[in-house]
Amino acid sequence: MSPSPVVVVMGVAGTGKTTIGPLLADRLGVPYAEGDDFHPAANIAKMTAGQPLTDEDRLPWLDDIGAWARGREGLGGVVSCSALKRSYRDRLRAAAPGVVFVHLAGDRRLIEDRMSHREGHFMPTALLDSQFATLQPLEPDEPGFAVDVSGSPEEIAERAAAALRDHRRRQPAP
């Protein structure tokens, strides 16, 4: 099998990207990068104030994540990034054509409940509606798959790793 791909763990706020990303990276034996760490301070201030980001706000953030992913091509890595719109995923793929998306998806009530219990995160629960309104699920021509977020973090990470192995087996040899 080819080297580990660069995996973008995506989804709306509260799906567990920051929790599942490192667990998946451990299973793959590759580094993990926290997508929130790529946000400029102005983006974090805006979200903390309960204001959704605009596409213009997101572009430098997406470009920085894309540069990280490009630097990991052939080596593998996992990065968390909401990647809610097709255009955002296209931008990431333009920077790093081999990325694979793992869309953490689940019931809105479960996600809202998880968000309401987390501490120390700048994204308020009030922005969840805007996240779901913006979300464009993966399309059939996009490299990736959805993973249900019910269950423990270890169960979710194992489902993601198994789906990734299956995805990689189905890819044509280079």
Side-chain angles (χ1 to χ4, degrees):
M1 209 176 305
S2 61
S4 288
V6 177
V7 177
V8 176
V9 177
M10 62 166 282
V12 299
T15 53
K17 296 180 296 291
T18 298
T19 301
I20 305 307
L23 293 172
L24 181 58
D26 284 347
R27 281 168 172 74
L28 299 175
V30 297
Y32 170 73
E34 169 54 54
D36 287 343
D37 292 345
F38 292 87
H39 273 299
N43 283 9
I44 293 172
K46 196 170 184 179
M47 288 183 285
T48 300
Q51 299 172 344
L53 298 178
T54 65
D55 286 352
E56 186 176 311
D57 294 329
R58 286 186 177 95
L59 295 181
W61 174 66
L62 291 166
D63 290 342
D64 287 347
I65 291 171
W68 183 88
R70 183 177 50 252
R72 297 299 313 163
E73 285 187 317
L75 303 170
V78 175
V79 62
S80 58
C81 173
S82 54
L84 298 177
K85 288 185 179 181
R86 169 76 188 241
S87 62
Y88 304 164
R89 297 186 299 269
D90 289 346
R91 192 172 187 100
L92 292 171
R93 270 197 316 278
V99 298
V100 175
F101 297 96
V102 173
H103 177 191
L104 298 180
D107 178 74
R108 188 195 186 289
R109 285 176 299 214
L110 171 65
I111 294 166
E112 185 173 27
D113 181 63
R114 288 182 179 171
M115 279 185 79
S116 69
H117 290 95
R118 68 184 184 180
E119 296 177 12
H121 196 279
F122 57 82
M123 177 69 85
T125 305
L127 287 181
L128 189 56
D129 286 336
S130 74
Q131 293 260 303
F132 272 105
T134 302
L135 176 64
Q136 297 171 344
L138 290 171
E139 296 179 29
D141 66 326
E142 292 184 272
F145 46 86
V147 173
D148 180 63
V149 296
S150 60
S152 72
E154 291 75 19
E155 291 168 333
I156 300 164
E158 189 49 46
R159 279 196 300 271
L164 183 60
R165 286 189 298 271
D166 184 55
H167 173 82
R168 292 176 67 204
R169 275 193 291 273
R170 289 183 280 126
Q171 298 306 304

